[in-house]
Every structure is written in C-alpha cells, then in structure tokens.
Amino acid sequence: MSITNNTFEYLQDLKNNNNREWFHANKKRYDTVKANFEETIKALIVSIGEFENMTGVQVKDCNYRIARDVRFSLNKDPYKTWLSASFSEGGRKSGKMDYYLHIQEGESFLGGGMYSPTPEQLAKLRQEIDYNAKELKDIIYNPDFVRVFGEAEGEAVKSAPKGYSKEHPEIELLRKKQMFYWHKFTKEEVCSPDFVKKVTEVCRTLKPFLDFLNYVFFEHQEPEIDL
C-alpha cells in the first residue's frame, strides 16, 4: 500500500476545518489515512533496517500523533495538518539524531540533523569542529550529499561563539546553532509506488551525517590523562 492522493485531500480538508467536531465526523477518513501511512512506516522500518539497527522498533515507536499539544502554544488548532514519523535505533523517543519524514501538501520532505541541540551537544560539536573539522566537511561537502541535500539550514550566531576567534578557519561551521538538512518530495513522488525506495535512498545518503552527530553527542569521550 502506498500513500494516495486521498491523504493530501484529507489533510487539506482538515486544514480548512481544524476543529474537533469536523475531525470526529470524519473519523473514518482519518482512520483510512492513518492506516495507509502506517503501512508506509512499516515498510520503511524494514528498508531502513538494512543499514540501521531497527530491532524491536514498531510503527508506534516511529509515528507521531496528529493531535497537537496546545498547552504552551498561541496556535490553539487541535490537530496537525501533516503526517510525520521518525526512524532510529530505539525509536523516536531514543534521543538520537534520526530520519524525520514529513508528509504535507507542498511541504513533504525527509530531513535530519541538529535541529534543537542542548547546550552540551552544541559545545561538543564545536569542540569537534575546532579539533578536526575534516571528517564533518568530508561528509557535508561530498558531491552526492550536496546533490541530495544542498546546504544546511538553521540559525547561526552573528559573530563568533564564546571561546572562539572570529578568525578561526572554520568559523562558518562554528557559528551554526542548527545544522538540519532537507530533501523535498513532490506530491507525485509521495504517491508513487516506489516512494519507500526513494525515501530509503535519501536516508542512506544522510546516514554518515547522523552517524557523525550521534558519535559526537553520545559516544565520543575525551581520553583520560594520567598525571
């Protein structure tokens, strides 16, 4: 089962009628769309599992709820107008950098990277760039990577982060507070029979960058020095 145009029609109607009354009156439509998307997630767990450890990961570990958390938001619309899922070892709550799939009219994409880093994670990345930027540059400036993702998007400090000189040879990388890469899909691509294959290929290209971040954030430790 592949994602169909009915999904986009439903999401557009939900956008125009974002209230609980309409949602519950059209619950059968939502259930069909949800089941359709979950089949795609299930297929992606298998295909991404060819190069990532997805052992034990189930659909519910990847899929995001359509209901919005409006407690701290000015936007009180009760529902999201998109479908989304994240794929990684341990599922979306693992805390690891993962592959994020987003399905929305005119804004469907597969993305991943450093979107909301903790201060500790950002400090670790800058330390790694300061010490040896070559590994990261070899990944993000690789021609195949650039062809699929282009340049990273996200915020950056205006000058230089604290503790680093404006004259640092890698100042452009050090300035970044976010490094998130996107690959967009057209509606025709999303609805095509080989969409899972296309997403999987994009994930393969993104993998070295996510591996790098996960190593820096979660595995890399400074060696102990005996005094």
Side-chain angles (χ1 to χ4, degrees), residues 141-152:
Y141 298 144
N142 178 284
D144 288 336
F145 190 92
V146 174
R147 175 181 55 81
V148 175
F149 293 105
E151 296 184 2

Side-chain angles (χ1 to χ4, degrees), residues 3 11 30-42 44-45 54 57-67 80 82-88 90-93 98-103:
I3 294 175
L11 291 174
Y30 170 68
D31 288 342
T32 300
V33 166
K34 181 172 181 283
N36 182 251
F37 187 51
E38 287 181 345
E39 287 297 318
T40 299
I41 293 174
K42 189 182 300 183
L44 283 168
I45 290 173
M54 302 296 286
V57 175
Q58 302 178 41
V59 171
K60 64 182 178 61
D61 302 316
C62 303
N63 203 4
Y64 288 92
R65 298 175 59 208
I66 198 166
K80 301 170 185 173
W82 61 86
L83 303 175
S84 56
S86 289
F87 303 85
S88 70
R92 62 182 174 82
K93 295 183 179 180
D98 52 23
Y99 307 94
Y100 174 76
L101 178 64
H102 186 100
I103 304 298

Side-chain angles (χ1 to χ4, degrees), residues 22-213:
W22 185 91
F23 183 84
H24 289 292
N26 289 268
K27 186 65 165 51
K28 288 186 178 180
R29 287 181 67 191
Y30 170 68
D31 288 342
T32 300
V33 166
K34 181 172 181 283
N36 182 251
F37 187 51
E38 287 181 345
E39 287 297 318
T40 299
I41 293 174
K42 189 182 300 183
L44 283 168
I45 290 173
V46 174
S47 61
I48 293 173
E50 295 175 3
F51 51 88
E52 295 287 0
N53 180 9
M54 302 296 286
T55 303
V57 175
Q58 302 178 41
V59 171
K60 64 182 178 61
D61 302 316
C62 303
N63 203 4
Y64 288 92
R65 298 175 59 208
I66 198 166
R68 296 181 63 250
D69 184 350
V70 300
R71 291 174 299 172
F72 309 106
S73 175
L74 294 176
N75 180 357
K76 298 302 181 181
D77 287 345
Y79 304 106
K80 301 170 185 173
T81 54
W82 61 86
L83 303 175
S84 56
S86 289
F87 303 85
S88 70
E89 179 179 354
R92 62 182 174 82
K93 295 183 179 180
S94 67
K96 292 189 175 182
M97 303 297 103
D98 52 23
Y99 307 94
Y100 174 76
L101 178 64
H102 186 100
I103 304 298
Q104 185 177 11
E105 181 76 40
E107 298 182 44
S108 297
F109 67 88
L110 185 287
M114 189 177 70
Y115 189 75
S116 300
T118 65
E120 181 184 19
Q121 288 174 339
L122 191 54
K124 284 183 176 181
L125 179 63
R126 285 172 173 161
Q127 185 178 46
E128 191 72 16
I129 292 171
D130 181 41
Y131 176 71
N132 178 20
K134 184 178 185 304
E135 183 177 358
L136 175 60
K137 292 168 73 174
D138 285 348
I139 295 169
I140 63 176
Y141 298 144
N142 178 284
D144 288 336
F145 190 92
V146 174
R147 175 181 55 81
V148 175
F149 293 105
E151 296 184 2
E153 296 187 21
E155 296 181 358
V157 298
K158 292 182 179 180
S159 181
K162 185 177 180 180
Y164 296 95
S165 168
K166 291 187 292 185
E167 307 304 320
H168 194 290
E170 306 298 344
I171 189 60
E172 290 306 312
L173 287 175
L174 290 169
R175 288 177 59 239
K176 294 184 181 297
K177 295 194 295 183
Q178 295 175 308
M179 288 185 69
F180 197 87
Y181 289 92
W182 319 64
H183 178 85
K184 295 183 178 181
F185 295 103
T186 64
K187 182 192 293 187
E188 289 72 26
E189 287 176 315
V190 173
C191 295
S192 69
D194 62 348
F195 180 57
V196 167
K197 180 180 179 181
K198 289 179 182 292
V199 172
T200 304
E201 290 172 351
V202 174
C203 289
R204 282 186 185 274
T205 305
L206 185 61
K207 176 177 169 57
F209 179 60
L210 297 189
D211 286 348
F212 174 83
L213 291 181

